[in-house]
Amino acid sequence: MARQLWLLRHAEAEPHGSREDSARRLTEKGERQARAAGAALARAGARFDAVLYSPKVRAAQTAELAAAEWEEDQRELLAVHAPLAGGFDARQALDTFAGLGPDARVLLVGHEPDLSTIAGSLAGGRVDLKKGGLAVLRLDGAGAELAVLMRPAEIALIAGVPVGRH
């Protein structure tokens, strides 16, 4: 196996300008997306060595709601990682593996454009990670292979929850 970097973009949040950016909360749809992401990860048997999330409210809520679907030992891995608040890059993403084993799996919950930029720069292409979407990269040295890219509707199908557009 190889190291894996999992990138979960925060779910749908209140619009820009509704309150201070760092305090923007998830909408009801966003809460459903976050729970579905957690259920899909649990159903797929995904396990992590570290789960780091942005301190911004919408990312913290996404991480916490997703983790509610996981086993306790996985929930205990949740940790705020201030650099994920913005301007987070591929080098910093790779640095999150420091001290972890050669087959480590790290889940980062954050924002755009950072997550798509990280995935694209590591995999050598253009990636468009939607709100509530997930990307999984298999790391190889300083590069990566994009193994999975899912939109919230696809995640909901894996989770076994209804896919609503409202």
Side-chain angles (χ1 to χ4, degrees):
M1 254 185 64
R3 294 179 305 157
Q4 294 179 6
L5 178 61
W6 296 58
L7 304 171
L8 178 61
R9 183 176 174 192
H10 71 77
E12 183 183 275
E14 297 170 322
H16 290 278
S18 59
R19 63 178 80 214
E20 181 183 332
D21 182 64
S22 64
R24 288 175 41 226
R25 304 184 56 76
L26 295 181
T27 62
E28 285 185 35
K29 179 180 179 181
E31 290 176 1
R32 288 193 305 272
Q33 289 172 335
R35 285 188 192 95
L41 291 171
R43 193 173 224 185
R47 299 203 41 92
F48 304 103
D49 298 289
V51 180
L52 307 175
Y53 61 91
S54 162
K56 292 184 178 181
V57 171
R58 58 195 180 275
Q61 286 183 300
T62 298
E64 291 162 2
L65 289 170
E69 304 290 331
W70 305 343
E71 294 178 15
E72 185 177 344
D73 68 321
Q74 291 290 287
R75 286 194 306 270
E76 291 173 356
L77 296 175
L78 281 174
V80 67
H81 190 63
L84 279 164
F88 198 73
D89 63 23
R91 178 79 257 145
Q92 291 172 295
L94 294 176
D95 288 346
T96 64
F97 286 88
L100 301 177
D103 297 330
R105 292 179 179 190
V106 172
L107 172 64
L108 303 178
V109 183
H111 310 277
E112 284 297 290
D114 296 351
L115 297 183
S116 289
T117 300
I118 290 166
S121 61
L122 290 174
R126 182 180 173 275
V127 175
D128 182 15
L129 191 56
K130 300 296 183 190
K131 288 179 187 164
L134 177 71
V136 182
L137 296 111
R138 273 191 216 101
L139 301 178
D140 181 21
E145 171 193 4
L146 181 62
V148 174
L149 181 62
M150 288 191 288
R151 299 173 192 279
E154 296 156 339
I155 292 170
L157 290 173
I158 292 169
V161 297
V163 179
R165 293 212 173 263
H166 54 289

